[in-house]
Amino acid sequence: MLVLLPPSEGKAPSGSGAPLKPESLSLPGLAEARAAVLDELVELCVADEEKAREVLGLSEGLRGEVAKNAELRTAGARPAGEVYTGVLYDALGLATLDAAARERAGDALLVFSGLWGAVKVTDRIPSYRCSMGIKLPGLGALGAYWRGPMASVLPGAAGDGLVLDLRSAAYATAWRPKGRWRRGRRRYGCCTRRPGRWSATSTRPRRAGSYGACWRRARSQPLRRSWWRRCGTCGTWWRRAARRGRSTSWWTRSTDPRLHPAQRSLRVALALVRMRP
């Protein structure tokens, strides 16, 4: 089983540990691509700070991130699970897992990165700034750049097991399961569970299709928080979206409004990581 996670934009300081050892990272098939991105990023940040800040999409207040990238080869490394911070990783709470759960998390959790491609939470990396959505001068868009290396490495890493994709859209462009992996995916949370891709697109009542019964059941329920209704059969939430400047509105399938998006994703990930084998 693999649980695919996005990285955090903010990261903990590198610390005073031993520097990066690229050969020690998981998925050695990505080593050549990692070296190319690392060389390009360090060269850019060393040569021209202003250009690097523009390429990385950093504000004036984040100028220090450029200097941090320039020292990636000598900066101290620490486990990726400690480097990545923010709501998602705080909720994941790797430090609170018992020994068996930490071992399963080290095997199952795979963090996608614009710099490293994908790393496990146990891989030791320095703190950096390089999102998947940027375009490096010599390599182009990183999402497209990583597509080839990922396609040759990740199917073997996934095997025939479950792949739980919790990545944001920018990181999902680097690798999408195909063939038998893709056919096994389901869209859950609806009265009719049919094979297909995960979808979060708006669905108007008159075009609800297989979700029509779900929407009708939700509409019969009393309003929750004025703009939310819930299907009494499968629990799917529907959100009412008003159109600016018009009196009409439509309903969109959504997730539980009581939870932060990161908490919704981590509910599933934690259940899989913490459960006994």
Side-chain angles (χ1 to χ4, degrees):
M1 179 188 73
L2 286 181
V3 179
L4 310 182
L5 297 176
S8 59
E9 286 297 324
K11 299 173 181 66
S14 294
S16 56
L20 171 71
K21 295 181 179 179
E23 66 278 3
S24 68
L25 298 179
S26 303
L27 305 175
L30 300 177
E32 185 176 347
R34 287 170 177 155
V37 178
L38 179 62
D39 291 343
E40 181 73 18
L41 181 63
V42 171
E43 182 180 348
L44 172 66
C45 293
V46 169
D48 191 336
E49 183 176 321
E50 288 300 324
K51 182 179 180 181
R53 192 164 66 85
E54 180 181 350
V55 170
L56 296 174
L58 302 176
S59 63
E60 181 66 29
L62 295 175
R63 182 180 293 271
E65 299 291 304
V66 177
K68 182 167 65 176
N69 282 348
E71 300 173 353
L72 280 173
R73 291 194 178 92
T74 57
R78 57 194 302 186
E82 299 177 11
V83 172
Y84 296 119
T85 59
V87 175
L88 188 150
Y89 290 91
D90 290 344
L92 181 58
L94 290 171
T96 66
L97 300 178
D98 58 37
R102 279 199 300 271
E103 183 178 354
R104 289 194 294 274
D107 294 335
L109 300 182
L110 198 62
V111 184
F112 275 62
S113 163
L115 176 55
W116 314 114
V119 293
K120 294 189 174 181
V121 292
T122 54
D123 288 337
R124 298 182 64 84
I125 59 174
S127 181
Y128 67 96
R129 189 66 174 241
C130 181
S131 67
M132 190 69 77
I134 69 169
K135 294 182 179 180
L136 291 178
L139 300 177
L142 290 182
Y145 171 79
W146 281 111
R147 209 166 291 150
M150 293 285 194
S152 62
V153 173
L154 288 187
D160 293 326
L162 172 69
V163 176
L164 179 62
D165 190 354
L166 305 179
R167 298 170 296 168
S168 53
Y171 292 89
T173 61
W175 179 63
R176 297 181 187 276
K178 296 182 179 180
R180 63 178 182 273
W181 298 282
R182 186 170 180 176
R183 286 197 297 272
R185 299 173 75 183
R186 292 282 194 273
R187 54 186 179 191
Y188 293 104
C190 182
C191 303
T192 55
R193 298 184 178 182
R194 299 181 179 180
R197 297 181 60 184
W198 289 82
S199 176
T201 57
S202 298
T203 307
R204 300 191 182 189
R206 65 177 183 272
R207 298 179 183 176
S210 62
Y211 293 95
C214 178
W215 175 79
R216 286 191 292 272
R217 291 189 185 97
R219 194 179 182 186
S220 66
Q221 301 297 319
L223 281 173
R224 296 171 181 254
R225 296 192 179 183
S226 301
W227 294 94
W228 299 86
R229 287 183 181 177
R230 192 178 190 184
C231 175
T233 300
C234 67
T236 298
W237 285 89
W238 290 78
R239 178 174 60 85
R240 186 179 181 183
R243 303 181 67 178
R244 179 176 297 180
R246 301 186 183 183
S247 59
T248 58
S249 62
W250 66 90
W251 292 84
T252 304
R253 282 181 295 114
S254 186
T255 45
D256 193 336
R258 298 168 296 183
L259 297 177
H260 186 280
Q263 292 176 309
R264 293 193 287 267
S265 299
L266 262 299
R267 268 192 169 184
V268 182
L270 281 173
L272 291 173
V273 170
R274 292 178 186 272
M275 65 184 179
R276 296 178 182 273

Coordinates of all heavy atoms in Angstrom, one line a residue, residues 44-118:
L44 N 20.9 28.1 -10.0 CA 20.1 29.3 -10.2 C 20.1 30.2 -8.9 O 20.3 31.4 -9.0 CB 18.6 28.9 -10.4 CG 17.5 29.9 -10.4 CD1 17.7 30.9 -11.6 CD2 16.2 29.3 -10.4
C45 N 20.1 29.6 -7.7 CA 20.1 30.4 -6.5 C 21.4 31.0 -6.2 O 21.5 32.1 -5.5 CB 19.6 29.5 -5.3 SG 17.9 29.0 -5.5
V46 N 22.5 30.4 -6.6 CA 23.8 31.0 -6.4 C 24.1 32.1 -7.4 O 24.7 33.1 -7.0 CB 24.9 29.9 -6.5 CG1 26.3 30.5 -6.5 CG2 24.8 28.9 -5.3
A47 N 23.7 31.9 -8.6 CA 24.1 32.9 -9.7 C 23.3 34.2 -9.6 O 23.9 35.3 -9.7 CB 23.9 32.2 -11.0
D48 N 22.0 34.2 -9.4 CA 21.2 35.4 -9.5 C 20.0 35.3 -8.5 O 19.0 34.6 -8.7 CB 20.6 35.5 -10.9 CG 20.0 36.9 -11.1 OD1 19.6 37.5 -10.1 OD2 19.9 37.3 -12.3
E49 N 20.2 36.0 -7.4 CA 19.1 35.9 -6.3 C 17.8 36.5 -6.8 O 16.8 35.9 -6.4 CB 19.6 36.7 -5.1 CG 18.7 36.6 -3.9 CD 19.2 37.3 -2.7 OE1 20.5 37.2 -2.4 OE2 18.5 37.9 -1.9
E50 N 17.8 37.5 -7.5 CA 16.5 38.1 -7.9 C 15.8 37.2 -8.9 O 14.6 37.1 -8.8 CB 16.8 39.5 -8.6 CG 17.2 40.6 -7.6 CD 16.1 40.8 -6.5 OE1 14.9 40.7 -6.9 OE2 16.4 41.1 -5.4
K51 N 16.5 36.7 -9.9 CA 15.9 35.8 -10.8 C 15.4 34.5 -10.1 O 14.3 34.0 -10.5 CB 16.9 35.4 -11.9 CG 16.3 34.5 -13.0 CD 17.4 34.2 -14.1 CE 16.7 33.2 -15.1 NZ 17.7 32.9 -16.2
A52 N 16.2 34.0 -9.2 CA 15.7 32.8 -8.4 C 14.4 33.1 -7.7 O 13.5 32.3 -7.6 CB 16.8 32.4 -7.5
R53 N 14.4 34.3 -7.1 CA 13.1 34.6 -6.3 C 11.9 34.7 -7.3 O 10.8 34.3 -6.9 CB 13.4 36.0 -5.6 CG 12.3 36.3 -4.6 CD 12.8 37.4 -3.7 NE 13.0 38.7 -4.4 CZ 12.0 39.6 -4.6 NH1 10.8 39.3 -4.2 NH2 12.3 40.7 -5.2
E54 N 12.2 35.2 -8.5 CA 11.1 35.3 -9.4 C 10.6 33.9 -9.9 O 9.4 33.7 -10.0 CB 11.5 36.2 -10.6 CG 10.5 36.3 -11.7 CD 11.0 37.2 -12.9 OE1 12.1 37.8 -12.8 OE2 10.3 37.2 -13.9
V55 N 11.6 33.1 -10.2 CA 11.3 31.7 -10.7 C 10.6 30.9 -9.6 O 9.6 30.2 -9.9 CB 12.6 31.0 -11.1 CG1 12.3 29.5 -11.4 CG2 13.2 31.6 -12.4
L56 N 11.0 31.1 -8.4 CA 10.4 30.3 -7.3 C 9.1 30.9 -6.8 O 8.4 30.3 -6.0 CB 11.4 30.2 -6.1 CG 12.7 29.4 -6.4 CD1 13.6 29.5 -5.2 CD2 12.4 28.0 -6.7
G57 N 8.7 32.1 -7.3 CA 7.5 32.8 -6.9 C 7.5 33.2 -5.4 O 6.5 33.1 -4.7
L58 N 8.6 33.7 -5.0 CA 8.8 34.1 -3.6 C 8.6 35.6 -3.4 O 9.1 36.4 -4.3 CB 10.2 33.7 -3.0 CG 10.5 32.2 -3.1 CD1 11.9 32.0 -2.6 CD2 9.5 31.4 -2.3
S59 N 8.0 36.0 -2.3 CA 7.9 37.5 -2.0 C 9.2 38.0 -1.4 O 10.1 37.2 -1.1 CB 6.7 37.7 -1.1 OG 7.0 37.0 0.2
E60 N 9.2 39.3 -1.2 CA 10.4 39.9 -0.7 C 10.7 39.4 0.7 O 11.8 39.2 1.1 CB 10.2 41.4 -0.6 CG 11.4 42.2 -0.1 CD 12.6 42.1 -0.9 OE1 12.5 42.0 -2.2 OE2 13.8 42.2 -0.4
G61 N 9.7 39.1 1.5 CA 9.8 38.6 2.8 C 10.4 37.2 2.9 O 10.9 36.7 3.9
L62 N 10.4 36.4 1.8 CA 10.9 35.1 1.7 C 12.2 35.0 1.0 O 12.6 33.9 0.5 CB 9.9 34.2 1.0 CG 8.6 34.0 1.8 CD1 7.6 33.1 1.0 CD2 8.8 33.3 3.1
R63 N 12.9 36.1 0.9 CA 14.2 36.2 0.2 C 15.2 35.1 0.8 O 16.1 34.6 0.1 CB 14.8 37.6 0.3 CG 16.1 37.8 -0.5 CD 16.6 39.2 -0.3 NE 15.7 40.1 -1.0 CZ 15.9 40.4 -2.3 NH1 16.9 39.9 -3.0 NH2 15.0 41.3 -2.9
G64 N 15.1 34.9 2.1 CA 16.0 33.9 2.7 C 15.9 32.5 2.2 O 16.9 31.7 2.3
E65 N 14.8 32.2 1.6 CA 14.6 30.9 1.0 C 15.6 30.6 -0.1 O 16.0 29.5 -0.4 CB 13.2 30.7 0.5 CG 12.1 30.8 1.6 CD 12.2 29.6 2.6 OE1 12.1 28.5 2.1 OE2 12.3 29.9 3.8
V66 N 16.0 31.7 -0.9 CA 16.9 31.5 -2.0 C 18.3 31.1 -1.4 O 19.0 30.2 -1.9 CB 17.0 32.8 -2.8 CG1 18.1 32.7 -3.9 CG2 15.7 33.2 -3.4
A67 N 18.7 31.8 -0.3 CA 20.0 31.5 0.3 C 20.0 30.0 0.8 O 21.0 29.3 0.8 CB 20.3 32.5 1.4
K68 N 18.8 29.6 1.3 CA 18.7 28.2 1.8 C 18.9 27.2 0.7 O 19.6 26.2 0.9 CB 17.4 28.1 2.5 CG 17.2 26.7 3.1 CD 15.9 26.7 4.1 CE 14.7 26.9 3.3 NZ 13.5 26.8 4.2
N69 N 18.3 27.5 -0.5 CA 18.5 26.6 -1.6 C 19.9 26.6 -2.1 O 20.4 25.5 -2.6 CB 17.6 27.0 -2.7 CG 16.1 26.6 -2.5 OD1 15.8 25.8 -1.6 ND2 15.3 27.2 -3.3
A70 N 20.6 27.7 -2.0 CA 22.0 27.7 -2.4 C 22.9 26.8 -1.6 O 24.0 26.5 -2.1 CB 22.5 29.2 -2.4
E71 N 22.5 26.5 -0.4 CA 23.4 25.7 0.5 C 22.9 24.3 0.7 O 23.2 23.6 1.7 CB 23.5 26.4 1.9 CG 24.1 27.8 1.8 CD 24.0 28.5 3.1 OE1 23.3 28.0 4.0 OE2 24.5 29.6 3.2
L72 N 22.1 23.8 -0.3 CA 21.4 22.5 -0.1 C 22.4 21.4 0.0 O 22.2 20.4 0.8 CB 20.5 22.2 -1.3 CG 19.1 22.9 -1.3 CD1 18.4 22.7 -2.6 CD2 18.3 22.4 -0.1
R73 N 23.6 21.5 -0.6 CA 24.5 20.3 -0.6 C 25.3 20.2 0.7 O 25.8 19.2 1.1 CB 25.5 20.5 -1.7 CG 24.9 20.3 -3.1 CD 26.0 20.1 -4.2 NE 25.5 19.9 -5.5 CZ 25.2 20.8 -6.4 NH1 25.5 22.1 -6.1 NH2 24.8 20.5 -7.6
T74 N 25.3 21.3 1.5 CA 26.1 21.3 2.7 C 25.2 21.4 3.9 O 25.6 21.2 5.1 CB 27.1 22.5 2.7 OG1 26.4 23.7 2.6 CG2 28.1 22.3 1.6
A75 N 23.9 21.8 3.7 CA 23.0 21.9 4.9 C 22.7 20.6 5.6 O 22.8 19.5 4.9 CB 21.7 22.5 4.4
G76 N 22.4 20.6 6.8 CA 22.1 19.4 7.6 C 20.8 18.8 7.1 O 19.9 19.5 6.8
A77 N 20.8 17.5 7.1 CA 19.6 16.8 6.7 C 18.9 16.2 7.9 O 19.5 15.9 8.9 CB 20.0 15.7 5.7
R78 N 17.6 16.0 7.8 CA 16.8 15.3 8.9 C 15.7 14.6 8.2 O 15.4 14.8 7.0 CB 16.3 16.4 9.9 CG 15.4 17.4 9.2 CD 15.2 18.6 10.1 NE 14.6 18.3 11.4 CZ 14.2 19.2 12.3 NH1 14.4 20.5 12.0 NH2 13.6 18.8 13.4
P79 N 15.0 13.6 8.9 CA 13.9 12.9 8.2 C 12.9 13.8 7.6 O 12.5 14.8 8.2 CB 13.4 12.0 9.4 CG 14.5 11.9 10.3 CD 15.3 13.2 10.3
A80 N 12.4 13.4 6.4 CA 11.4 14.2 5.7 C 10.2 14.4 6.6 O 9.5 15.5 6.5 CB 11.0 13.5 4.4
G81 N 9.8 13.5 7.4 CA 8.6 13.6 8.3 C 8.8 14.7 9.3 O 7.8 15.2 9.8
E82 N 10.0 15.1 9.6 CA 10.3 16.2 10.5 C 10.5 17.5 9.7 O 10.3 18.6 10.3 CB 11.6 15.9 11.3 CG 11.4 14.7 12.2 CD 12.7 14.4 13.0 OE1 13.6 15.3 13.0 OE2 12.8 13.3 13.6
V83 N 10.9 17.4 8.5 CA 11.2 18.6 7.7 C 9.8 19.3 7.3 O 9.7 20.5 7.4 CB 12.0 18.3 6.4 CG1 12.1 19.5 5.5 CG2 13.4 17.9 6.8
Y84 N 8.9 18.5 6.8 CA 7.6 19.0 6.4 C 6.7 19.3 7.6 O 6.6 18.5 8.6 CB 6.9 18.0 5.5 CG 7.6 17.7 4.2 CD1 8.1 16.4 3.9 CD2 7.9 18.7 3.3 CE1 8.8 16.2 2.8 CE2 8.6 18.5 2.2 CZ 9.0 17.2 1.9 OH 9.7 17.0 0.7
T85 N 6.2 20.5 7.6 CA 5.3 21.0 8.7 C 4.0 21.4 8.2 O 3.7 21.2 7.0 CB 6.0 22.1 9.4 OG1 6.2 23.2 8.5 CG2 7.4 21.7 10.0
G86 N 3.2 22.1 9.0 CA 1.9 22.6 8.6 C 0.8 21.7 9.1 O 1.0 20.8 9.8
V87 N -0.5 22.1 8.7 CA -1.7 21.5 9.2 C -1.7 20.0 9.0 O -2.0 19.2 9.9 CB -2.9 22.1 8.6 CG1 -4.2 21.4 9.1 CG2 -3.0 23.6 9.0
L88 N -1.4 19.6 7.7 CA -1.5 18.2 7.4 C -0.5 17.3 8.2 O -0.9 16.3 8.8 CB -1.2 18.0 5.9 CG -1.4 16.6 5.3 CD1 -1.8 16.7 3.9 CD2 -0.2 15.7 5.4
Y89 N 0.7 17.7 8.3 CA 1.7 16.9 9.1 C 1.6 17.1 10.6 O 1.9 16.1 11.3 CB 3.1 17.3 8.6 CG 3.4 16.9 7.2 CD1 3.1 17.7 6.1 CD2 3.8 15.6 6.9 CE1 3.2 17.3 4.8 CE2 4.0 15.2 5.6 CZ 3.7 16.0 4.5 OH 3.8 15.6 3.2
D90 N 1.1 18.2 11.0 CA 0.7 18.3 12.5 C -0.4 17.3 12.8 O -0.3 16.6 13.9 CB 0.3 19.7 12.8 CG 1.5 20.7 12.8 OD1 2.6 20.2 12.8 OD2 1.2 21.9 12.7
A91 N -1.4 17.2 11.9 CA -2.5 16.3 12.2 C -2.0 14.8 12.1 O -2.5 13.9 12.8 CB -3.6 16.6 11.2
L92 N -1.1 14.6 11.2 CA -0.6 13.2 11.0 C 0.1 12.8 12.3 O 0.0 11.6 12.7 CB 0.4 13.1 9.8 CG 1.0 11.8 9.4 CD1 -0.1 10.8 9.2 CD2 1.9 11.9 8.2
G93 N 0.9 13.6 12.9 CA 1.5 13.3 14.2 C 2.4 12.1 14.1 O 2.2 11.2 14.9
L94 N 3.4 12.1 13.3 CA 4.3 10.9 13.2 C 5.0 10.6 14.5 O 5.2 9.4 14.8 CB 5.3 11.1 12.1 CG 4.8 11.1 10.6 CD1 5.9 11.6 9.7 CD2 4.3 9.8 10.2
A95 N 5.3 11.6 15.2 CA 6.0 11.4 16.5 C 5.2 10.7 17.5 O 5.7 10.2 18.5 CB 6.5 12.8 17.0
T96 N 3.9 10.8 17.4 CA 3.0 10.1 18.3 C 2.7 8.7 18.0 O 2.0 8.0 18.8 CB 1.6 10.9 18.4 OG1 0.9 10.8 17.2 CG2 1.9 12.4 18.7
L97 N 3.1 8.2 16.9 CA 2.8 6.8 16.5 C 3.7 5.8 17.3 O 4.8 6.1 17.7 CB 3.1 6.6 15.0 CG 2.3 7.4 14.0 CD1 2.7 7.1 12.6 CD2 0.8 7.2 14.2
D98 N 3.2 4.6 17.6 CA 4.0 3.6 18.2 C 5.0 3.0 17.2 O 4.9 3.4 16.0 CB 3.1 2.5 18.8 CG 2.2 1.8 17.8 OD1 2.7 1.6 16.7 OD2 1.1 1.5 18.2
A99 N 5.9 2.2 17.7 CA 6.9 1.7 16.8 C 6.4 1.0 15.6 O 6.9 1.1 14.5 CB 7.8 0.7 17.6
A100 N 5.4 0.1 15.8 CA 4.8 -0.6 14.6 C 4.2 0.3 13.6 O 4.4 0.1 12.4 CB 3.8 -1.7 15.1
A101 N 3.5 1.3 14.1 CA 2.8 2.2 13.2 C 3.8 3.1 12.5 O 3.7 3.4 11.3 CB 1.8 3.1 14.0
R102 N 4.9 3.5 13.2 CA 6.0 4.3 12.5 C 6.6 3.5 11.4 O 7.0 4.0 10.4 CB 7.0 4.7 13.6 CG 6.6 5.9 14.4 CD 7.8 6.6 15.0 NE 8.5 5.7 15.9 CZ 8.2 5.5 17.2 NH1 7.2 6.3 17.7 NH2 8.8 4.7 18.0
E103 N 6.8 2.2 11.6 CA 7.4 1.4 10.6 C 6.5 1.3 9.4 O 7.0 1.4 8.3 CB 7.7 0.0 11.2 CG 8.4 -1.0 10.2 CD 8.7 -2.3 10.8 OE1 8.5 -2.5 12.0 OE2 9.2 -3.2 10.0
R104 N 5.2 1.1 9.6 CA 4.3 1.0 8.5 C 4.2 2.4 7.8 O 4.1 2.4 6.6 CB 2.9 0.6 9.0 CG 2.8 -0.8 9.4 CD 1.3 -1.3 9.6 NE 0.6 -0.6 10.7 CZ 0.7 -1.0 11.9 NH1 1.4 -2.0 12.3 NH2 0.0 -0.3 12.8
A105 N 4.2 3.5 8.6 CA 4.2 4.8 7.9 C 5.5 5.0 7.1 O 5.4 5.6 6.0 CB 4.2 5.9 9.0
G106 N 6.6 4.5 7.5 CA 7.8 4.7 6.7 C 7.8 3.9 5.4 O 8.4 4.3 4.4
D107 N 7.0 2.8 5.4 CA 6.9 2.0 4.2 C 5.8 2.5 3.3 O 5.9 2.5 2.1 CB 6.6 0.6 4.5 CG 7.7 -0.1 5.3 OD1 8.9 0.3 5.0 OD2 7.5 -1.1 6.0
A108 N 4.7 3.1 3.9 CA 3.5 3.4 3.1 C 3.4 4.9 2.6 O 2.9 5.1 1.6 CB 2.2 3.1 3.9
L109 N 3.9 5.8 3.4 CA 3.8 7.2 3.1 C 4.8 7.7 2.1 O 6.0 7.5 2.4 CB 3.8 8.1 4.4 CG 2.8 7.8 5.5 CD1 3.0 8.7 6.7 CD2 1.4 7.9 4.9
L110 N 4.4 8.3 1.0 CA 5.3 8.8 0.0 C 4.9 10.2 -0.3 O 3.8 10.5 -0.7 CB 5.1 7.9 -1.3 CG 6.2 8.0 -2.3 CD1 7.5 7.5 -1.7 CD2 5.8 7.2 -3.5
V111 N 5.9 11.1 0.0 CA 5.7 12.5 -0.1 C 6.3 13.0 -1.5 O 7.4 12.8 -1.8 CB 6.4 13.3 1.0 CG1 6.0 14.8 0.9 CG2 5.9 12.8 2.3
F112 N 5.4 13.6 -2.3 CA 5.9 14.1 -3.6 C 6.5 15.5 -3.4 O 6.1 16.3 -2.6 CB 4.7 14.2 -4.6 CG 4.4 12.9 -5.3 CD1 4.1 11.8 -4.6 CD2 4.5 12.8 -6.7 CE1 3.8 10.6 -5.2 CE2 4.3 11.6 -7.3 CZ 3.9 10.5 -6.6
S113 N 7.5 15.8 -4.3 CA 8.3 17.0 -4.1 C 8.8 17.5 -5.5 O 9.2 16.6 -6.3 CB 9.5 16.7 -3.2 OG 10.5 17.7 -3.3
G114 N 8.8 18.8 -5.6 CA 9.4 19.3 -6.9 C 10.9 19.1 -7.0 O 11.4 19.0 -8.1
L115 N 11.6 19.0 -5.9 CA 13.0 18.8 -5.9 C 13.4 17.3 -5.9 O 14.3 16.9 -6.7 CB 13.6 19.5 -4.7 CG 15.1 19.3 -4.5 CD1 15.9 19.7 -5.7 CD2 15.6 20.1 -3.2
W116 N 12.8 16.5 -5.1 CA 13.2 15.1 -4.9 C 12.3 14.1 -5.7 O 12.6 13.0 -5.8 CB 13.2 14.7 -3.5 CG 13.8 15.7 -2.6 CD1 13.2 16.5 -1.6 CD2 15.2 16.1 -2.5 NE1 14.1 17.3 -1.0 CE2 15.4 17.1 -1.5 CE3 16.3 15.7 -3.2 CZ2 16.6 17.7 -1.2 CZ3 17.6 16.3 -2.9 CH2 17.7 17.2 -1.9
G117 N 11.3 14.6 -6.3 CA 10.4 13.7 -7.0 C 9.4 13.1 -6.0 O 8.2 13.5 -6.0
A118 N 9.9 12.1 -5.3 CA 9.1 11.5 -4.2 C 10.0 10.9 -3.2 O 11.0 10.3 -3.6 CB 8.1 10.4 -4.8

